[in-house]
Amino acid sequence: MKWLRSSLGWLKTTPIHPQWLLGRRQVPTGVSEVMGRMLDVGAADQWLKAHCSGAVDYVALDYPATGRDLYGSRPHVFADAASIPFADACFDGVCCLEVLEHVPNPLNVIVEICRVLKPSGRAWVSMPFLYPLHDAPYDFQRFTEYGLRRDAERAGLKVVSITKTGHAIRAAGLLASLAIAGGVYERRGVVGILLLPVAMLAVLVVNLTASLASRLWPDWGPMATGYVMEVRKP
């Protein structure tokens, strides 16, 4: 049911869409402060560029098998993030957002980020935590905040902060909505078509309920949609 995904595209900003609870893409705090050269690893459509300082020399890097073949991205450089084709200490900032789950060895990527950062350079790394398998077969792992910290410190980077994304109830609601929509997406034929309006109504109810509940109920730290980590090279 590929038609289902395309037909729901225009609904992405409405609570009928199963990913509505994710909200808009968030720019990590501090990215706009970077001056000099900024490397965007896994740049996709280069949305981050608009949020960088106007004085930044922005460089987009993506991996052919995912960036080009799955999403049609057109970066400045196609390369493996575990072997970044730039000299040591040549970037003032690096962003690597929602990439580490797609690489066989995340530590190798973080080591490369450390290598290309200038001393005192800043980097931002994010990874989903409670989120379904995606971009198969290039989806290999999910890390807790402690896993991210472990690899950053192994690479020689100083962890400045690790922030969870998604209220616990919104994270649960997101998974429920995706499970509902995913079941219909996998179902072929007349049954799938008949289930579609039921699924849309169920997703709407789950999304609105989770959104309201997240405003009224306390958050729970151990349950997150993902994590964003800021690091600095000593």
Side-chain angles (χ1 to χ4, degrees):
M1 296 179 67
K2 291 183 178 180
W3 60 270
L4 178 59
R5 179 179 293 179
S6 59
S7 66
L8 288 177
W10 67 277
L11 295 172
K12 198 165 186 178
T13 59
T14 74
I16 299 176
H17 196 281
Q19 295 194 88
W20 179 71
L21 288 168
L22 276 178
R24 296 180 179 180
R25 291 187 287 196
Q26 297 295 313
V27 183
T29 302
V31 167
S32 62
E33 300 169 2
V34 174
M35 306 297 288
R37 300 186 76 198
M38 169 71 83
L39 177 64
D40 188 1
V41 178
D45 59 2
Q46 302 181 37
W47 68 277
L48 194 65
K49 183 178 181 180
H51 301 279
C52 295
S53 165
V56 159
D57 178 14
Y58 171 87
V59 179
L61 180 150
D62 219 327
Y63 188 61
T66 49
R68 181 190 64 200
D69 299 344
L70 290 179
Y71 296 105
S73 64
R74 301 178 64 182
H76 299 106
V77 179
F78 277 115
D80 187 340
S83 184
I84 297 174
F86 292 101
D88 296 356
C90 64
F91 287 99
D92 300 277
V94 176
C95 279
C96 183
L97 307 179
E98 311 299 286
V99 171
L100 293 185
E101 71 270 26
H102 300 298
V103 301
N105 191 330
L107 177 59
N108 290 349
V109 176
I110 298 177
V111 167
E112 278 292 274
I113 290 173
C114 181
R115 180 184 67 79
V116 300
L117 269 178
K118 295 178 181 179
S120 299
R122 302 166 71 183
W124 293 265
V125 175
S126 70
M127 180 187 278
F129 182 56
L130 296 177
Y131 192 78
L133 180 73
H134 59 286
D135 294 352
Y138 304 101
D139 192 352
F140 302 112
Q141 61 266 316
R142 302 287 185 270
F143 280 3
T144 65
E145 61 178 297
Y146 304 105
L148 288 171
R149 180 182 295 275
R150 175 201 63 197
D151 279 7
E153 292 176 347
R154 284 178 177 175
L157 293 164
K158 179 182 179 182
V159 177
V160 176
S161 65
I162 299 179
T163 307
K164 75 185 288 282
T165 59
H167 188 286
I169 292 178
R170 290 179 73 94
L174 175 65
L175 290 179
S177 290
L178 287 168
I180 293 167
V184 176
Y185 180 78
E186 293 292 328
R187 189 75 180 188
R188 300 182 182 277
V190 176
V191 174
I193 295 173
L194 293 175
L195 285 176
L196 180 58
V198 179
M200 294 177 72
L201 178 60
V203 166
L204 175 64
V205 171
V206 169
N207 282 344
L208 292 179
T209 301
S211 179
L212 177 61
S214 68
R215 299 170 189 270
L216 302 175
W217 201 260
D219 195 6
W220 183 39
M223 192 168 181
T225 301
Y227 296 99
V228 179
M229 175 174 66
E230 180 184 351
V231 296
R232 191 182 296 270
K233 184 173 181 177

